[in-house]
Amino acid sequence: MSTCSTVSRDLDEPVSGTAATATTWLLLEQPGPWGARALTSSHLDPALGHALEAAVQGTGVRIALIRRPGRHADLGAPAARRVYAAHTRPGKVWLHEATTTDPRRLLDLDFAALGRGEHTVFDAVLEGRPHTGDPLALVCTNGKRDRCCALLGRPLAAELAASGVDGVWEVTHLGGHRFSPTLLVLPYGYAYGRAEAHGVKEILHAVQEGRIVVEGCRGSSAWERPGQAAELAVRTAVGEYAADVLSVVRTDGDAPRREVTVAHADGRHWQVVVAEGASLPPRAGSCGASVLGAPARMDVVAVREVTLPVPTG
């Protein structure tokens, strides 16, 4: 059976620079079935889903629904739902958790402040606290959005859960169905494509040690897509795998040529040239697509360490 993920794999489409963009992730537990637009087509109150979608617009916050792996019969709403918020900008990375019996309380959050990385608003409204457990492994399993996410994502989530990975959750949508199974790891916010169970365990072990695995990495959600590709290229070029030390500080130019400046916490800088082009030949971006397209791709063509002028004044 040909699917968008098998076509992408057969064409050897690169995964770097394809992650969803969000400075802050907000995750709400919602068991039961999910529709294609899960916030408004699940057992969550659709009016609340619409209100949340509107509230996060332009804030840098991306909201998604999560559920534990397994069967999803309609067992009714849980008495208490888990809620997570994670900020992914280096130097301000955090992951907090809370529980609530009334998901409408999420509308009391200051989403602009959350997008800026202020966890105090989450803690005050939902009695949140720092997450002290294992890193979160969020596997996209929304088959109503794309069948690859169900065919490939759900078995991966189930295998991870059965093998004792405590932080694994199913999640509604991470983008890039053609890279299924797709995975987001928090707190650092790096996404992965074509994930396999043994590789996910290596990724989570690295995160516990404050490191990033670059193999299969789509990029950090903290950056726009040219920055995602540039940051990963710097990591590979200089062998820097510490999680919280590289930042995209500037992007110049327009497609097809971007010049991205990546900074290290120790003061080093690199200029990375990213060629933004189209993936050819045309292919389906998802299994439900009625027409073929040419998804954008980010190819790094140069990585150069640079010395920036010292400001005077």
Side-chain angles (χ1 to χ4, degrees):
M1 177 178 63
S2 178
T3 63
C4 66
S5 60
T6 58
V7 170
S8 176
R9 189 185 294 268
D10 289 346
L11 292 174
D12 198 25
E13 183 179 356
V15 302
S16 176
T18 66
T21 300
T23 56
T24 302
W25 290 84
L26 181 64
L27 309 170
L28 172 65
E29 184 178 5
Q30 177 59 58
W34 296 332
R37 295 184 62 87
L39 278 176
T40 56
S41 55
S42 68
H43 290 178
L44 184 70
D45 177 5
L48 173 58
H50 281 295
L52 288 169
E53 284 183 334
V56 300
Q57 288 296 314
T59 65
V61 177
R62 185 177 176 116
I63 186 167
L65 304 181
I66 57 174
R67 63 191 178 194
R68 287 297 191 185
R71 296 180 61 85
H72 303 298
D74 183 5
L75 302 177
R81 303 165 187 253
R82 192 73 61 89
V83 186
Y84 293 100
H87 188 69
T88 61
R89 289 269 183 167
K92 295 183 66 175
V93 170
W94 50 261
L95 172 60
H96 282 218
E97 63 179 284
T99 56
T100 183
T101 57
D102 182 6
R104 291 173 296 181
R105 295 185 65 192
L106 271 63
L107 291 175
D108 295 329
L109 293 168
D110 182 338
F111 291 103
L114 266 184
R116 293 192 299 267
E118 300 173 19
H119 60 73
T120 53
V121 298
F122 179 84
D123 298 345
V125 170
L126 296 172
E127 299 181 11
R129 58 201 176 275
H131 174 69
T132 57
D134 292 341
L136 301 188
L138 307 167
V139 181
C140 184
T141 63
N142 191 351
K144 295 295 184 181
R145 189 90 180 199
D146 189 278
R147 62 179 175 175
C148 286
C149 298
L151 293 173
L152 301 174
R154 291 195 66 187
L156 174 63
E159 182 178 354
L160 291 170
S163 65
V165 177
D166 183 57
V168 62
W169 292 85
E170 298 185 7
V171 67
T172 46
H173 182 49
L174 297 177
H177 320 292
R178 63 193 185 279
F179 303 120
S180 294
T182 59
L183 173 82
L184 176 73
V185 180
L186 296 176
Y188 297 115
Y190 285 81
Y192 292 83
R194 303 177 186 135
E196 298 179 355
H198 67 88
V200 174
K201 292 176 183 178
E202 292 177 6
I203 291 165
L204 295 176
H205 178 70
V207 168
Q208 287 178 315
E209 296 184 342
R211 296 183 292 107
I212 298 301
V213 171
V214 299
E215 290 78 13
C217 190
R218 299 174 62 193
S220 165
S221 73
W223 318 122
E224 298 295 331
R225 291 184 176 182
Q228 295 171 10
E231 189 237 34
L232 289 175
V234 170
R235 288 190 177 281
T236 300
V238 303
E240 177 58 86
Y241 304 113
D244 206 23
V245 297
L246 293 181
S247 295
V248 174
V249 296
R250 182 169 174 170
T251 300
D252 296 309
D254 298 311
R257 179 186 170 92
R258 310 274 193 177
E259 292 188 357
V260 182
T261 303
V262 178
H264 196 289
D266 65 10
R268 287 178 292 165
H269 289 77
W270 294 266
Q271 188 175 76
V272 184
V273 178
V274 180
E276 183 175 342
S279 298
L280 297 173
R283 79 287 309 272
S286 66
C287 290
S290 57
V291 296
L292 300 182
R297 60 181 286 165
M298 306 293 157
D299 291 303
V300 172
V301 296
V303 178
R304 180 170 61 93
E305 187 170 357
V306 294
T307 301
L308 297 185
V310 177
T312 59

